[in-house]
Amino acid sequence: MYAQMVKTGVDRIQSSEEMSPEERAFQERIDADIKIEPKEWMPEAYRKTLIRQISQHAHSEIIGMQPEGNWITRAPTLERKAILLAKVQDEAGHGLYLYCAAETLGVSRDELMEQLNSGKAKYSSIFNYPTLTWADIGAIGWLVDGAAIMNQVPLQRCSYGPYSRAMIRICKEESFHQRQGYDIMMKLARGTPEQKQMAQDALNRWWWPSLMMFGPSDADSVHSAQSMKWKIKINSNDELRQKFVDQTVPQAEYLGLTVPDPDLRWNAERGHYDFGAVDWEEFYQVIAGNGPCNRQRLRTRVKAYEEGRWVREAAEAYAAKKAARAQAKAA
Amino acid sequence: MTDRKEWPLWEVFIRSQHGLAHRHVGSLHAPDAEMAIKNARDVYTRRNEGVSIWVVKASDIAASSPGEKGPLFDPANSKVYRHPTFYEIPEELGHM
């Protein structure tokens, strides 16, 4: 997902008897679906886990602009270019909503930026894959945003007020992203044989990385169990992945494209698709920094930050000059 | 990288189309009010959400604390007579 394998710092789940009165009251509020707001008391582990989760999510939105930004100048029509520009601008906006939500937990924007630019912070594995053809822009909207929506819709109900409100805003805007992606895929799938082949090639390359977005099975993970108890994670990784496969396979069939998984078949008994094993070794390599584009993504990010420095400094100097003038006038 | 002072945080309020009051939508960092309004336009009104923007420095907002919730808001609980439904109006009178 946009936040993957978020650690909670706990090694087991506390029972109600072991909790302090404050912790117990806190858990009871969460159980009663009462939102937790910034200034209220919260366990330190809850606060830290949320900062990790929300900032990872924000960093993913910011880095996520790069694979798509790659095609803004090469979009096939002016309309497609305008749409892609709007989508990438939305990703920046989503990053900003989320940074604000993270800041309400007591971390500063500069700290978050520094964590991202120094390579210390994680972001989603998916954005370390290259966008080789225009069809990749279609596949990203359809599959990557599709997978993101699957996770973000339930997070609208998460226990932390500012995160929940950011998710509500993001979900409202995200559905355009998936539709524009599928629209690109439809156009290609109905085009010349070469165009259809391009769409198939994009599906081949993005299918497995999209399934990896949900993260490895967390059925036995104490971190996931704790996060679910806190209601900052709503569904298990396997649950969401299955839901994504069930939703996406018919969409691929409609396009006349083949999902690159020989083990994929409908299981009438389960009422779900069975699918093949994900290559988790590849996933661990990508999150360890060895994906196809990790270094390039970080380099581009730092370059943008450095090249924007004079703009930030000019804006600060201008604000300081204006404030000084206003003060002189008042005196 | 943190060789500068962090820009102040601004809370953003937007009035939507239909004459409603400005509503809090989120926050952002900007060096001054003018830039805050410009950034707010891009961050919070990309889809015609508003016709007017207010920004205010977050540090200028005074807020009630969660601990005061009881003393501040509980007294209203016992004053049900402030609601119209407290009063029974004879049906033959029609709408009032």
Side-chain angles (χ1 to χ4, degrees):
Chain A
M1 213 16 66
Y2 280 12
Q4 291 162 327
M5 303 177 68
V6 180
K7 296 236 175 11
T8 55
V10 307
D11 45 23
R12 63 187 191 87
I13 308 284
Q14 271 189 322
S15 71
S16 180
E17 293 75 46
E18 292 171 287
M19 290 178 182
S20 70
E22 272 170 324
E23 287 171 327
R24 203 172 309 128
F26 176 82
Q27 189 59 49
E28 279 165 10
R29 298 190 58 201
I30 289 188
D31 294 342
D33 283 328
I34 298 170
K35 294 266 183 268
I36 308 300
E37 294 296 340
K39 283 195 205 160
E40 291 165 4
W41 185 88
M42 59 187 81
E44 197 48 21
Y46 175 85
R47 196 181 66 81
K48 282 195 173 146
T49 306
L50 264 178
I51 290 177
R52 244 175 262 147
Q53 178 172 340
I54 300 174
S55 62
Q56 258 194 50
H57 195 155
H59 297 328
S60 296
E61 302 279 0
I62 297 304
I63 296 290
M65 290 192 281
Q66 292 186 35
E68 295 185 292
N70 186 33
W71 281 89
I72 289 175
T73 54
R74 288 176 281 169
T77 66
L78 187 58
E79 188 188 54
R80 291 286 187 202
K81 179 175 176 155
I83 292 171
L84 186 56
L85 208 50
K87 181 180 188 278
V88 172
Q89 199 186 7
D90 272 357
E91 311 296 1
H94 296 176
L96 294 177
Y97 307 157
L98 288 161
Y99 282 133
C100 287
E103 283 179 87
T104 64
L105 292 157
V107 66
S108 79
R109 180 72 59 100
D110 280 354
E111 277 173 78
L112 295 171
M113 284 290 102
E114 139 72 25
Q115 285 169 5
L116 176 61
N117 292 348
S118 68
K120 214 166 76 190
K122 278 200 218 121
Y123 56 85
S124 178
S125 55
I126 194 76
F127 300 118
N128 291 310
Y129 290 87
T131 41
L132 303 178
T133 74
W134 171 250
D136 289 17
I137 301 306
I140 287 184
W142 172 36
L143 301 173
V144 175
D145 288 283
I149 290 170
M150 210 111 261
N151 179 55
Q152 288 170 347
V153 166
L155 277 178
Q156 294 179 100
R157 293 180 280 116
C158 77
S159 63
Y160 188 56
Y163 192 26
S164 149
R165 291 189 283 273
M167 279 298 82
I168 290 170
R169 262 196 103 81
I170 288 175
C171 284
K172 247 192 229 163
E173 299 179 349
E174 200 85 67
S175 136
F176 136 62
H177 297 182
Q178 193 187 13
R179 283 173 176 226
Q180 67 85 35
Y182 197 71
D183 190 62
I184 291 173
M185 295 304 274
M186 277 200 296
K187 193 87 178 176
L188 290 170
R190 287 174 186 163
T192 64
E194 287 83 0
Q195 287 170 327
K196 190 168 177 186
Q197 185 46 43
M198 251 171 81
Q200 180 63 55
D201 170 61
L203 174 58
N204 291 349
R205 283 181 293 108
W206 288 93
W207 175 255
W208 291 107
S210 297
L211 294 197
M212 289 175 203
M213 282 176 72
F214 297 96
S217 176
D218 58 354
D220 306 315
S221 160
V222 66
H223 300 298
S224 288
Q226 179 61 68
S227 290
M228 284 167 108
K229 195 162 182 208
W230 280 333
K231 293 190 185 165
I232 55 177
K233 182 182 175 80
I234 314 293
N235 307 92
S236 78
N237 295 349
D238 288 328
E239 219 177 317
L240 289 173
R241 186 169 16 249
Q242 179 73 60
K243 217 173 148 192
F244 175 74
V245 171
D246 289 346
Q247 176 192 284
T248 310
V249 170
Q251 295 168 353
E253 280 167 3
Y254 182 83
L255 294 171
L257 300 179
T258 311
V259 174
D261 178 358
D263 297 324
L264 183 79
R265 56 185 56 85
W266 178 250
N267 183 330
E269 210 174 294
R270 288 202 309 130
H272 292 292
Y273 282 93
D274 290 338
F275 54 96
V278 176
D279 178 3
W280 291 112
E281 191 41 44
E282 176 180 323
F283 172 80
Y284 290 121
Q285 282 297 326
V286 174
I287 57 170
N290 303 318
C293 299
N294 295 57
R295 275 173 283 271
Q296 183 191 338
R297 296 288 182 248
L298 201 59
R299 207 164 46 230
T300 304
R301 167 66 213 152
V302 171
K303 185 166 171 260
Y305 187 81
E306 291 305 330
E307 288 178 356
R309 181 181 297 277
W310 71 270
V311 180
R312 293 190 296 274
E313 285 171 357
E316 267 160 54
Y318 180 67
K321 186 179 82 180
K322 264 200 330 186
R325 273 194 195 153
Q327 216 169 18
K329 214 174 187 180
Chain B
M1 217 158 285
T2 45
D3 51 356
R4 60 189 189 88
K5 217 172 94 228
E6 186 159 274
W7 288 353
L9 186 69
W10 301 79
E11 297 297 335
V12 181
F13 300 80
I14 305 277
R15 172 156 55 215
S16 59
Q17 313 276 354
H18 309 291
L20 296 172
H22 285 75
R23 204 168 69 95
H24 182 244
V25 293
S27 50
L28 50 78
H29 288 273
D32 60 21
E34 193 186 337
M35 285 293 284
I37 288 177
K38 287 194 168 124
N39 290 352
R41 191 207 57 164
D42 289 340
V43 180
Y44 291 107
T45 66
R46 289 193 303 281
R47 286 174 176 75
N48 270 323
E49 285 93 338
V51 292
S52 162
I53 300 174
W54 285 352
V55 293
V56 56
K57 262 193 199 153
S59 58
D60 288 342
I61 293 179
S64 64
S65 84
E68 292 173 307
K69 215 151 123 192
L72 280 177
F73 305 114
D74 285 356
N77 286 343
S78 57
K79 296 172 181 61
V80 281
Y81 45 81
R82 285 179 171 162
H83 296 277
T85 44
F86 180 75
Y87 305 93
E88 233 167 87
I89 300 296
E91 232 170 79
E92 52 267 39
L93 224 59
H95 178 73
M96 181 183 277

